[in-house]
mmCIF file of all heavy atoms in Angstrom:
data_model
loop_
_atom_site.group_PDB
_atom_site.id
_atom_site.type_symbol
_atom_site.label_atom_id
_atom_site.label_comp_id
_atom_site.label_asym_id
_atom_site.label_seq_id
_atom_site.Cartn_x
_atom_site.Cartn_y
_atom_site.Cartn_z
ATOM 1 N N VAL A 1 -16.756 3.383 0.581
ATOM 2 C CA VAL A 1 -16.791 2.989 -0.834
ATOM 3 C C VAL A 1 -15.430 2.531 -1.142
ATOM 4 O O VAL A 1 -14.470 3.322 -1.458
ATOM 5 C CB VAL A 1 -17.261 4.027 -1.752
ATOM 6 C CG1 VAL A 1 -17.261 3.548 -3.179
ATOM 7 C CG2 VAL A 1 -18.697 4.520 -1.329
ATOM 8 N N ALA A 2 -15.149 1.216 -1.281
ATOM 9 C CA ALA A 2 -13.680 0.692 -1.448
ATOM 10 C C ALA A 2 -13.764 -0.489 -2.080
ATOM 11 O O ALA A 2 -14.475 -1.449 -1.907
ATOM 12 C CB ALA A 2 -12.847 0.753 -0.197
ATOM 13 N N THR A 3 -12.860 -0.725 -3.181
ATOM 14 C CA THR A 3 -12.593 -1.972 -3.727
ATOM 15 C C THR A 3 -11.117 -2.462 -3.454
ATOM 16 O O THR A 3 -10.378 -1.605 -3.264
ATOM 17 C CB THR A 3 -12.844 -1.999 -5.250
ATOM 18 O OG1 THR A 3 -11.945 -0.906 -5.879
ATOM 19 C CG2 THR A 3 -14.254 -1.643 -5.493
ATOM 20 N N ARG A 4 -10.849 -3.682 -3.516
ATOM 21 C CA ARG A 4 -9.549 -4.184 -3.241
ATOM 22 C C ARG A 4 -8.609 -3.704 -4.345
ATOM 23 O O ARG A 4 -8.873 -3.854 -5.566
ATOM 24 C CB ARG A 4 -9.448 -5.801 -3.274
ATOM 25 C CG ARG A 4 -8.211 -6.306 -2.801
ATOM 26 C CD ARG A 4 -8.224 -7.836 -2.937
ATOM 27 N NE ARG A 4 -9.445 -8.396 -2.114
ATOM 28 C CZ ARG A 4 -9.437 -8.510 -0.798
ATOM 29 N NH1 ARG A 4 -8.348 -8.070 -0.041
ATOM 30 N NH2 ARG A 4 -10.400 -8.945 -0.192
ATOM 31 N N MET A 5 -7.443 -3.299 -3.886
ATOM 32 C CA MET A 5 -6.393 -2.764 -4.817
ATOM 33 C C MET A 5 -5.679 -3.989 -5.396
ATOM 34 O O MET A 5 -5.273 -4.851 -4.734
ATOM 35 C CB MET A 5 -5.405 -1.904 -4.193
ATOM 36 C CG MET A 5 -4.246 -1.421 -5.099
ATOM 37 S SD MET A 5 -3.087 -0.301 -4.284
ATOM 38 C CE MET A 5 -4.084 1.244 -4.271
ATOM 39 N N PRO A 6 -5.597 -4.097 -6.719
ATOM 40 C CA PRO A 6 -4.858 -5.164 -7.297
ATOM 41 C C PRO A 6 -3.400 -5.297 -6.883
ATOM 42 O O PRO A 6 -2.729 -4.244 -6.648
ATOM 43 C CB PRO A 6 -4.916 -4.950 -8.862
ATOM 44 C CG PRO A 6 -6.219 -3.899 -9.015
ATOM 45 C CD PRO A 6 -6.213 -3.158 -7.679
ATOM 46 N N LYS A 7 -3.026 -6.648 -6.693
ATOM 47 C CA LYS A 7 -1.411 -6.674 -6.153
ATOM 48 C C LYS A 7 -0.636 -6.022 -7.130
ATOM 49 O O LYS A 7 0.550 -5.441 -6.686
ATOM 50 C CB LYS A 7 -1.409 -8.084 -5.880
ATOM 51 C CG LYS A 7 -1.998 -8.715 -4.890
ATOM 52 C CD LYS A 7 -1.622 -8.222 -3.498
ATOM 53 C CE LYS A 7 -2.332 -9.139 -2.406
ATOM 54 N NZ LYS A 7 -1.783 -8.679 -1.012
ATOM 55 N N ALA A 8 -0.812 -6.072 -8.395
ATOM 56 C CA ALA A 8 0.162 -5.497 -9.383
ATOM 57 C C ALA A 8 0.292 -3.986 -9.226
ATOM 58 O O ALA A 8 1.380 -3.400 -9.326
ATOM 59 C CB ALA A 8 -0.391 -5.829 -10.760
ATOM 60 N N LEU A 9 -0.870 -3.449 -8.836
ATOM 61 C CA LEU A 9 -0.797 -1.879 -8.690
ATOM 62 C C LEU A 9 -0.122 -1.630 -7.243
ATOM 63 O O LEU A 9 0.605 -0.699 -7.144
ATOM 64 C CB LEU A 9 -2.179 -1.195 -8.619
ATOM 65 C CG LEU A 9 -2.290 0.207 -8.316
ATOM 66 C CD1 LEU A 9 -1.448 1.000 -9.203
ATOM 67 C CD2 LEU A 9 -3.767 0.596 -8.325
ATOM 68 N N ALA A 10 -0.558 -2.469 -6.276
ATOM 69 C CA ALA A 10 -0.037 -2.218 -4.859
ATOM 70 C C ALA A 10 1.516 -2.309 -4.921
ATOM 71 O O ALA A 10 2.156 -1.499 -4.207
ATOM 72 C CB ALA A 10 -0.505 -3.241 -4.000
ATOM 73 N N ASN A 11 2.160 -3.195 -5.640
ATOM 74 C CA ASN A 11 3.434 -3.445 -5.626
ATOM 75 C C ASN A 11 4.183 -2.218 -6.457
ATOM 76 O O ASN A 11 5.459 -2.189 -6.310
ATOM 77 C CB ASN A 11 3.861 -4.744 -6.375
ATOM 78 C CG ASN A 11 5.273 -5.117 -6.154
ATOM 79 O OD1 ASN A 11 6.053 -5.334 -7.046
ATOM 80 N ND2 ASN A 11 5.615 -5.244 -4.924
ATOM 81 N N ARG A 12 3.549 -1.471 -7.159
ATOM 82 C CA ARG A 12 4.141 -0.279 -7.655
ATOM 83 C C ARG A 12 4.206 0.979 -6.898
ATOM 84 O O ARG A 12 4.645 1.937 -7.195
ATOM 85 C CB ARG A 12 3.321 0.120 -8.957
ATOM 86 C CG ARG A 12 3.453 -0.931 -10.157
ATOM 87 C CD ARG A 12 2.348 -0.526 -11.119
ATOM 88 N NE ARG A 12 2.724 -1.169 -12.474
ATOM 89 C CZ ARG A 12 2.598 -2.403 -12.778
ATOM 90 N NH1 ARG A 12 2.252 -3.352 -12.027
ATOM 91 N NH2 ARG A 12 3.073 -2.901 -13.975
ATOM 92 N N LEU A 13 3.744 0.868 -5.595
ATOM 93 C CA LEU A 13 3.556 2.021 -4.752
ATOM 94 C C LEU A 13 4.219 1.711 -3.380
ATOM 95 O O LEU A 13 4.555 0.647 -2.903
ATOM 96 C CB LEU A 13 2.089 2.158 -4.459
ATOM 97 C CG LEU A 13 1.123 2.343 -5.612
ATOM 98 C CD1 LEU A 13 -0.333 2.309 -5.066
ATOM 99 C CD2 LEU A 13 1.373 3.570 -6.265
ATOM 100 N N MET A 14 4.621 2.988 -2.823
ATOM 101 C CA MET A 14 5.128 3.032 -1.483
ATOM 102 C C MET A 14 3.843 3.365 -0.632
ATOM 103 O O MET A 14 3.131 4.442 -0.758
ATOM 104 C CB MET A 14 6.119 4.088 -1.284
ATOM 105 C CG MET A 14 6.707 4.174 0.098
ATOM 106 S SD MET A 14 8.121 5.290 0.116
ATOM 107 C CE MET A 14 7.442 6.761 -0.436
ATOM 108 N N HIS A 15 3.637 2.542 0.482
ATOM 109 C CA HIS A 15 2.396 2.721 1.318
ATOM 110 C C HIS A 15 2.651 3.278 2.785
ATOM 111 O O HIS A 15 3.607 2.956 3.398
ATOM 112 C CB HIS A 15 1.740 1.431 1.472
ATOM 113 C CG HIS A 15 1.403 0.615 0.155
ATOM 114 N ND1 HIS A 15 0.153 0.773 -0.462
ATOM 115 C CD2 HIS A 15 2.203 -0.217 -0.728
ATOM 116 C CE1 HIS A 15 0.155 0.073 -1.549
ATOM 117 N NE2 HIS A 15 1.309 -0.435 -1.742
ATOM 118 N N PHE A 16 1.728 4.238 3.033
ATOM 119 C CA PHE A 16 1.681 4.644 4.479
ATOM 120 C C PHE A 16 0.147 4.862 4.868
ATOM 121 O O PHE A 16 -0.721 5.089 4.153
ATOM 122 C CB PHE A 16 2.188 6.193 4.556
ATOM 123 C CG PHE A 16 3.638 6.257 4.136
ATOM 124 C CD1 PHE A 16 4.099 6.754 2.954
ATOM 125 C CD2 PHE A 16 4.635 5.733 5.056
ATOM 126 C CE1 PHE A 16 5.351 6.775 2.666
ATOM 127 C CE2 PHE A 16 5.958 5.766 4.775
ATOM 128 C CZ PHE A 16 6.437 6.415 3.605
ATOM 129 N N GLU A 17 -0.135 4.406 6.060
ATOM 130 C CA GLU A 17 -1.448 4.608 6.759
ATOM 131 C C GLU A 17 -1.402 5.852 7.484
ATOM 132 O O GLU A 17 -0.546 6.060 8.408
ATOM 133 C CB GLU A 17 -1.605 3.264 7.523
ATOM 134 C CG GLU A 17 -3.128 3.387 8.102
ATOM 135 C CD GLU A 17 -3.479 2.147 8.852
ATOM 136 O OE1 GLU A 17 -2.514 1.393 9.279
ATOM 137 O OE2 GLU A 17 -4.615 1.890 9.066
ATOM 138 N N ILE A 18 -2.357 6.682 7.293
ATOM 139 C CA ILE A 18 -2.490 7.933 8.029
ATOM 140 C C ILE A 18 -3.444 7.796 9.090
ATOM 141 O O ILE A 18 -4.602 7.328 9.019
ATOM 142 C CB ILE A 18 -2.990 9.082 7.074
ATOM 143 C CG1 ILE A 18 -2.061 9.146 5.900
ATOM 144 C CG2 ILE A 18 -3.050 10.408 7.785
ATOM 145 C CD1 ILE A 18 -0.574 9.443 6.079
ATOM 146 N N ARG A 19 -2.990 8.183 10.239
ATOM 147 C CA ARG A 19 -3.845 8.055 11.519
ATOM 148 C C ARG A 19 -4.161 9.502 12.101
ATOM 149 O O ARG A 19 -3.357 10.336 11.926
ATOM 150 C CB ARG A 19 -3.199 7.163 12.550
ATOM 151 C CG ARG A 19 -1.868 7.519 12.938
ATOM 152 C CD ARG A 19 -1.316 6.665 14.119
ATOM 153 N NE ARG A 19 0.224 6.843 14.164
ATOM 154 C CZ ARG A 19 0.718 7.967 14.760
ATOM 155 N NH1 ARG A 19 -0.063 8.845 15.373
ATOM 156 N NH2 ARG A 19 2.011 8.013 14.905
ATOM 157 N N ALA A 20 -5.172 9.538 12.823
ATOM 158 C CA ALA A 20 -5.551 10.707 13.433
ATOM 159 C C ALA A 20 -4.532 11.075 14.631
ATOM 160 O O ALA A 20 -4.255 10.088 15.395
ATOM 161 C CB ALA A 20 -7.014 10.803 13.977
ATOM 162 N N ASP A 21 -4.021 12.345 14.681
ATOM 163 C CA ASP A 21 -3.101 12.682 15.738
ATOM 164 C C ASP A 21 -3.348 14.056 16.244
ATOM 165 O O ASP A 21 -3.174 14.971 15.316
ATOM 166 C CB ASP A 21 -1.710 12.394 15.142
ATOM 167 C CG ASP A 21 -0.621 12.873 16.144
ATOM 168 O OD1 ASP A 21 -0.253 12.134 17.138
ATOM 169 O OD2 ASP A 21 0.053 13.906 15.853
ATOM 170 N N PHE A 22 -3.510 14.214 17.475
ATOM 171 C CA PHE A 22 -3.968 15.572 17.840
ATOM 172 C C PHE A 22 -2.852 16.565 17.750
ATOM 173 O O PHE A 22 -3.104 17.725 17.369
ATOM 174 C CB PHE A 22 -4.599 15.637 19.361
ATOM 175 C CG PHE A 22 -4.937 17.076 19.778
ATOM 176 C CD1 PHE A 22 -6.059 17.692 19.142
ATOM 177 C CD2 PHE A 22 -4.163 17.642 20.727
ATOM 178 C CE1 PHE A 22 -6.349 18.876 19.432
ATOM 179 C CE2 PHE A 22 -4.508 18.998 21.087
ATOM 180 C CZ PHE A 22 -5.670 19.625 20.470
ATOM 181 N N PRO A 23 -1.629 16.331 18.294
ATOM 182 C CA PRO A 23 -0.501 17.318 18.132
ATOM 183 C C PRO A 23 -0.379 17.784 16.617
ATOM 184 O O PRO A 23 -0.168 19.014 16.254
ATOM 185 C CB PRO A 23 0.692 16.525 18.731
ATOM 186 C CG PRO A 23 0.098 15.557 19.626
ATOM 187 C CD PRO A 23 -1.123 15.196 19.067
ATOM 188 N N SER A 24 -0.432 16.776 15.815
ATOM 189 C CA SER A 24 -0.320 17.117 14.344
ATOM 190 C C SER A 24 -1.485 18.018 13.796
ATOM 191 O O SER A 24 -1.331 19.024 13.188
ATOM 192 C CB SER A 24 -0.378 15.880 13.516
ATOM 193 O OG SER A 24 -0.224 16.161 12.069
ATOM 194 N N PHE A 25 -2.774 17.678 14.367
ATOM 195 C CA PHE A 25 -3.943 18.431 13.991
ATOM 196 C C PHE A 25 -3.689 19.812 14.532
ATOM 197 O O PHE A 25 -4.090 20.811 14.017
ATOM 198 C CB PHE A 25 -5.181 17.895 14.499
ATOM 199 C CG PHE A 25 -6.451 18.589 14.400
ATOM 200 C CD1 PHE A 25 -7.025 18.638 13.145
ATOM 201 C CD2 PHE A 25 -6.901 19.417 15.346
ATOM 202 C CE1 PHE A 25 -8.180 19.464 12.877
ATOM 203 C CE2 PHE A 25 -7.987 20.072 15.193
ATOM 204 C CZ PHE A 25 -8.770 20.143 14.085
ATOM 205 N N LEU A 26 -3.256 19.945 15.940
ATOM 206 C CA LEU A 26 -3.206 21.282 16.502
ATOM 207 C C LEU A 26 -2.293 22.235 15.675
ATOM 208 O O LEU A 26 -2.542 23.432 15.584
ATOM 209 C CB LEU A 26 -2.684 21.080 17.878
ATOM 210 C CG LEU A 26 -2.621 22.377 18.787
ATOM 211 C CD1 LEU A 26 -3.897 23.082 18.901
ATOM 212 C CD2 LEU A 26 -1.996 22.076 20.118
ATOM 213 N N ARG A 27 -1.023 21.720 15.297
ATOM 214 C CA ARG A 27 -0.160 22.519 14.678
ATOM 215 C C ARG A 27 -0.793 23.038 13.300
ATOM 216 O O ARG A 27 -0.596 24.293 13.046
ATOM 217 C CB ARG A 27 1.074 21.745 14.229
ATOM 218 C CG ARG A 27 1.977 21.461 15.499
ATOM 219 C CD ARG A 27 3.348 20.951 14.916
ATOM 220 N NE ARG A 27 3.306 19.616 14.325
ATOM 221 C CZ ARG A 27 3.338 18.407 15.152
ATOM 222 N NH1 ARG A 27 3.432 18.571 16.431
ATOM 223 N NH2 ARG A 27 3.234 17.273 14.577
ATOM 224 N N TRP A 28 -1.548 22.171 12.667
ATOM 225 C CA TRP A 28 -2.218 22.518 11.353
ATOM 226 C C TRP A 28 -3.317 23.549 11.766
ATOM 227 O O TRP A 28 -3.457 24.559 10.990
ATOM 228 C CB TRP A 28 -2.734 21.288 10.761
ATOM 229 C CG TRP A 28 -3.508 21.640 9.468
ATOM 230 C CD1 TRP A 28 -3.040 22.002 8.191
ATOM 231 C CD2 TRP A 28 -4.982 21.731 9.466
ATOM 232 N NE1 TRP A 28 -4.165 22.288 7.417
ATOM 233 C CE2 TRP A 28 -5.368 22.174 8.134
ATOM 234 C CE3 TRP A 28 -5.988 21.550 10.468
ATOM 235 C CZ2 TRP A 28 -6.617 22.328 7.706
ATOM 236 C CZ3 TRP A 28 -7.398 21.758 10.027
ATOM 237 C CH2 TRP A 28 -7.585 22.108 8.776
ATOM 238 N N ALA A 29 -4.123 23.253 12.824
ATOM 239 C CA ALA A 29 -5.245 24.055 12.980
ATOM 240 C C ALA A 29 -4.883 25.655 13.401
ATOM 241 O O ALA A 29 -5.495 26.508 13.045
ATOM 242 C CB ALA A 29 -6.061 23.466 14.200
ATOM 243 N N VAL A 30 -3.726 25.636 14.160
ATOM 244 C CA VAL A 30 -3.442 27.050 14.682
ATOM 245 C C VAL A 30 -2.820 27.683 13.515
ATOM 246 O O VAL A 30 -3.191 28.917 13.376
ATOM 247 C CB VAL A 30 -2.177 26.862 15.696
ATOM 248 C CG1 VAL A 30 -1.480 28.173 15.982
ATOM 249 C CG2 VAL A 30 -2.808 26.274 17.081
ATOM 250 N N SER A 31 -2.019 27.067 12.547
ATOM 251 C CA SER A 31 -1.648 27.873 11.411
ATOM 252 C C SER A 31 -2.640 28.085 10.459
ATOM 253 O O SER A 31 -2.480 29.189 9.653
ATOM 254 C CB SER A 31 -0.509 26.850 10.760
ATOM 255 O OG SER A 31 -1.111 25.821 10.017
ATOM 256 N N ARG A 32 -3.848 27.575 10.429
ATOM 257 C CA ARG A 32 -5.024 27.831 9.536
ATOM 258 C C ARG A 32 -5.997 28.737 10.337
ATOM 259 O O ARG A 32 -7.045 28.961 9.802
ATOM 260 C CB ARG A 32 -5.583 26.575 9.079
ATOM 261 C CG ARG A 32 -4.800 25.675 8.257
ATOM 262 C CD ARG A 32 -4.183 26.533 7.032
ATOM 263 N NE ARG A 32 -3.677 25.620 6.040
ATOM 264 C CZ ARG A 32 -2.430 25.163 5.938
ATOM 265 N NH1 ARG A 32 -1.559 25.435 6.922
ATOM 266 N NH2 ARG A 32 -2.001 24.335 5.026
ATOM 267 N N HIS A 33 -5.702 29.127 11.597
ATOM 268 C CA HIS A 33 -6.629 30.049 12.354
ATOM 269 C C HIS A 33 -8.005 29.514 12.564
ATOM 270 O O HIS A 33 -8.972 30.070 12.250
ATOM 271 C CB HIS A 33 -6.794 31.359 11.599
ATOM 272 C CG HIS A 33 -7.189 32.479 12.450
ATOM 273 N ND1 HIS A 33 -8.041 33.498 12.044
ATOM 274 C CD2 HIS A 33 -7.023 32.747 13.785
ATOM 275 C CE1 HIS A 33 -8.295 34.480 12.847
ATOM 276 N NE2 HIS A 33 -7.595 33.982 14.066
ATOM 277 N N LEU A 34 -8.055 28.073 12.858
ATOM 278 C CA LEU A 34 -9.310 27.555 13.286
ATOM 279 C C LEU A 34 -9.981 28.274 14.414
ATOM 280 O O LEU A 34 -9.353 28.805 15.358
ATOM 281 C CB LEU A 34 -9.157 26.013 13.401
ATOM 282 C CG LEU A 34 -9.672 25.249 12.172
ATOM 283 C CD1 LEU A 34 -8.788 25.498 10.929
ATOM 284 C CD2 LEU A 34 -9.617 23.716 12.497
ATOM 285 N N ASN A 35 -11.234 28.118 14.495
ATOM 286 C CA ASN A 35 -11.970 28.788 15.674
ATOM 287 C C ASN A 35 -11.490 28.319 16.984
ATOM 288 O O ASN A 35 -11.124 27.181 17.277
ATOM 289 C CB ASN A 35 -13.554 28.413 15.429
ATOM 290 C CG ASN A 35 -14.356 29.107 16.405
ATOM 291 O OD1 ASN A 35 -14.573 28.546 17.560
ATOM 292 N ND2 ASN A 35 -14.829 30.171 16.013
ATOM 293 N N GLU A 36 -11.493 29.290 17.861
ATOM 294 C CA GLU A 36 -10.983 29.129 19.269
ATOM 295 C C GLU A 36 -11.620 28.069 20.051
ATOM 296 O O GLU A 36 -11.098 27.307 20.804
ATOM 297 C CB GLU A 36 -10.833 30.416 19.950
ATOM 298 C CG GLU A 36 -12.179 30.993 20.480
ATOM 299 C CD GLU A 36 -12.628 31.941 19.388
ATOM 300 O OE1 GLU A 36 -12.501 31.825 18.196
ATOM 301 O OE2 GLU A 36 -13.496 32.919 19.759
#
């Protein structure tokens, strides 16, 4: 569910795309005690 972001709003923001990354997930999962 997504609509195009207006350019005027986009230009007010700093943008980052978040991608799946296992080392990052593992660090988080261990610190949150996810199931073994």
Side-chain angles (χ1 to χ4, degrees):
V1 180
T3 58
R4 186 182 308 282
M5 177 177 284
K7 292 290 188 179
L9 175 56
N11 192 238
R12 286 167 161 78
L13 302 171
M14 179 171 59
H15 301 266
F16 297 105
E17 185 172 19
I18 304 302
R19 55 177 168 76
D21 173 76
F22 180 69
S24 176
F25 174 82
L26 180 62
R27 285 191 292 273
W28 174 83
V30 169
S31 70
R32 294 305 193 276
H33 200 214
L34 259 62
N35 185 270
E36 69 270 25

